[in-house]
Amino acid sequence: MFRIYLAKTANQGKFLMAFLCSLFAFQVVFAQQHHIELKAQQLENKRAKVNNQVVKTSFNGQMAFYIDGINRDLETDVRPDLEWIVQVPKSGWYVLEVETQPVDLERLKKEDLTGKLTLKAKLQNGNDRPTFRIVYDVYKGGLQELGKFEFKSKSQKLKVWLPANLVLKRLSIKPYVAPAPPADAENYIPKIVPPSGHPRLWVNQETLPIIRQRTLDTAHQTAWSTVEAKAALSFKFAFDSNKEMFHDEKLESIIEAKAFYYLITEDRKVGAEAVQLALDYLSVLEFGNVTYGDITREVGRAMYTASLVYDWCFPLMNTDSRAQLRKDLMRLATDMEMGWPPFFGIESVVNGHGNEAQICRDYLSMSIAIYDEDPLPYKYTSYWILDQLVPLRKFEYQSPRHNQGVDYGGYRFGWEMHAAWLYYRMLGHPVFDDNIKNMAEYWVYMRTPDGKMLRDGDMFNVKYGKSENFYWKNPQTMLLCYAYSGNRIIKGEFIKQGGLKDNPVLFLLLDDPKLKPDFDLNQLPLTKDFGPVLNSMVARTGWEEKRSSGNVVVELKGGGFHFGNHQHADAGALQIYHRGIQVGDLGLYLSYGSPYDFNFNKRSVSHSMMLVRDPKEPLLLEQKPTTAVLGLVSGFLEM
């Protein structure tokens, strides 16, 4: 479908181009409807315009491109190493892919200081700003997807600058196929919509005076002083519009603080600073093709910050600045793991990464903020939350414990509470069932006297739990829970976990200083039956909270529903704590999806329960455990 030319001839047939466009349109529509990935077409190496002063064109007897023995600064090099003229059937978005390898892998390993073996090339598509993309790393090797690129015309230049010690074997292109919403989502009409006017993220016209008054309370002095200091900071954001930049969490925190300060004080100078910083930052923010480290969380945080500015500082923006911010927000939305529209792959709002910030905070905040100008994002986001998540959780939370366990449950439930709060503050009434208010009790009952937790699900905190001073905590989730339910005991847990010093804005938005913490757990029953959906019972001999305590804590886990992902196959398991774990879960969560993880950590064999073994049962991803895994397990058993 794609042909590469150094010069476009004038006598190309219109019939051929019409045929190619029709074929292109058919392939894209078919791929959207059937979730099929289109095959990439290689750009012919022999068609490339080569900078022969620095580029070698043969490697191991094959035509390929590399820079031999030159350390170079791609930021300052003007002349490209390679240049293609790419002809596509129609303007639009396309995906570029590469196949590469290091010239000398051992040299790369010696020179690498990150453990990622990352090599980046610089590309310029047409007249767009140059961008850096990973062309080799430890995660995907030399088969890399470079990302989405817009071809504004049917014939467009593509320039490439190569890093040292890299062989470019193949560069390919294919149409970008956006995720297709299911029919239910496409036909969904939200019954609940944002009210007219701003603000409506975390506050509305009725609650804003209350939040303003609370900032004056002595209990909020420290948090408010932190916000004031950031708001007063004369932050000089030095940027070049012709150069992209990676995410900056510190800058995002300053933008959020300035926007919140304007919301509370109506200081137009500080508010204008928030707007300008957000516009400048998003104009150069680029995540490229980084996928490791669950980068969608950083993409989403940038979206969330910009959405706060859009909503809280709305009166300070003109039509052009609002349009620019919306454009950048939607650009970032396409970089999210769930894509845009948010229906990529198998992700959903029920479990997995779709049950984290990207829907429940990031997409939702954006969709609420820009609803008046563009209601479509709210339609899709509210479909996920109101039509899918809310009804399921009403059923599931009859058992007040989280199916993803202590650690992942604490993390993901916190994002779910963001959605509960955002709707509640926007509307003035809840959309989730009231049984969501009881969920925080799960973490209270799973606590052991030494400050750690009984084990449930994949626990990323276990590897840090060897320290005698380790104390399990998730204060942000506790804040969201006690402020929503008015539970004084959970506020006590929030304080014992150290509070939320690194997020004073969220604390000031939610905390009611009139709600006093209660630290007396002795008023709680010693036994908790978690009900019919996620059956289990936790019983204890007392609530003493110190390592020397002789109290016993026992969990008996029943059957119930299995949701998968980080949940374990441990129906019927037993745990006993007495001056340490005496009977419990032996698995370690070292990495998701490894043979050790699927065949031992998540399965009944690693839990204290009845085991029925089928010697003919095939194992998943069967392979021997590595020395690193064996060493970590050995160290854990010595605890």
Side-chain angles (χ1 to χ4, degrees), residues 240-406:
D240 182 344
S241 60
N242 293 316
K243 292 183 179 180
E244 64 189 21
M245 67 171 289
F246 204 42
H247 68 91
D248 186 334
E249 187 173 355
K250 179 182 177 182
L251 174 56
E252 290 168 6
S253 175
I254 291 171
I255 294 171
E256 179 187 46
K258 286 179 178 290
F260 182 67
Y261 188 83
Y262 167 72
L263 178 72
I264 300 301
T265 66
E266 297 183 312
D267 185 321
R268 296 180 65 88
K269 177 178 179 295
V270 173
E273 291 173 354
V275 170
Q276 195 59 53
L277 282 172
L279 288 167
D280 292 344
Y281 175 55
L282 261 65
S283 72
V284 293
L285 178 61
E286 177 59 64
F287 289 87
N289 60 331
V290 175
T291 57
Y292 52 79
D294 293 325
I295 195 67
T296 196
R297 293 166 181 167
E298 279 67 41
V299 179
R301 190 181 60 232
M303 286 175 56
Y304 171 66
T305 303
S307 299
L308 294 179
V309 171
Y310 193 96
D311 182 61
W312 292 348
C313 304
F314 190 84
L316 302 179
M317 303 170 70
N318 59 31
T319 303
D320 290 341
S321 59
R322 291 170 192 156
Q324 182 60 48
L325 209 52
R326 288 198 306 275
K327 180 180 178 181
D328 284 322
L329 280 166
M330 296 308 301
R331 173 178 60 84
L332 291 175
T334 65
D335 289 338
M336 295 283 272
E337 188 173 7
M338 295 189 72
W340 189 260
F343 299 99
F344 179 76
I346 61 171
E347 292 292 344
S348 81
V349 76
V350 171
N351 238 343
H353 291 176
N355 188 229
E356 295 181 1
Q358 57 181 320
I359 289 180
C360 290
R361 183 194 65 177
D362 307 330
Y363 282 130
L364 181 58
S365 296
M366 178 188 76
S367 70
I368 291 173
I370 69 174
Y371 176 77
D372 295 337
E373 294 78 22
D374 185 0
L376 186 62
Y378 181 81
K379 170 184 173 177
Y380 290 146
T381 307
S382 61
Y383 163 79
W384 273 126
I385 297 174
L386 299 179
D387 190 72
Q388 301 291 307
L389 184 63
V390 169
L392 175 67
R393 293 306 192 233
K394 180 178 180 179
F395 166 77
E396 182 186 346
Y397 291 163
Q398 293 176 85
S399 287
R401 64 179 295 145
H402 203 282
N403 70 71
Q404 295 296 281
V406 168

Side-chain angles (χ1 to χ4, degrees), residues 362-462:
D362 307 330
Y363 282 130
L364 181 58
S365 296
M366 178 188 76
S367 70
I368 291 173
I370 69 174
Y371 176 77
D372 295 337
E373 294 78 22
D374 185 0
L376 186 62
Y378 181 81
K379 170 184 173 177
Y380 290 146
T381 307
S382 61
Y383 163 79
W384 273 126
I385 297 174
L386 299 179
D387 190 72
Q388 301 291 307
L389 184 63
V390 169
L392 175 67
R393 293 306 192 233
K394 180 178 180 179
F395 166 77
E396 182 186 346
Y397 291 163
Q398 293 176 85
S399 287
R401 64 179 295 145
H402 203 282
N403 70 71
Q404 295 296 281
V406 168
D407 282 354
Y408 274 97
Y411 179 74
R412 290 179 176 171
F413 184 67
W415 299 121
E416 217 162 276
M417 287 302 302
H418 274 74
W421 266 111
L422 286 166
Y423 276 106
Y424 179 67
R425 280 282 177 83
M426 178 180 78
L427 301 168
H429 61 80
V431 296
F432 283 82
D433 190 89
D434 273 356
N435 61 17
I436 200 173
K437 296 179 180 179
N438 304 321
M439 285 293 292
E441 294 179 9
Y442 164 60
W443 290 277
V444 174
Y445 275 89
M446 294 296 282
R447 175 86 67 183
T448 52
D450 60 355
K452 301 175 185 177
M453 289 283 187
L454 293 174
R455 284 158 196 144
D456 189 15
D458 289 338
M459 295 189 66
F460 47 77
N461 273 313
V462 165

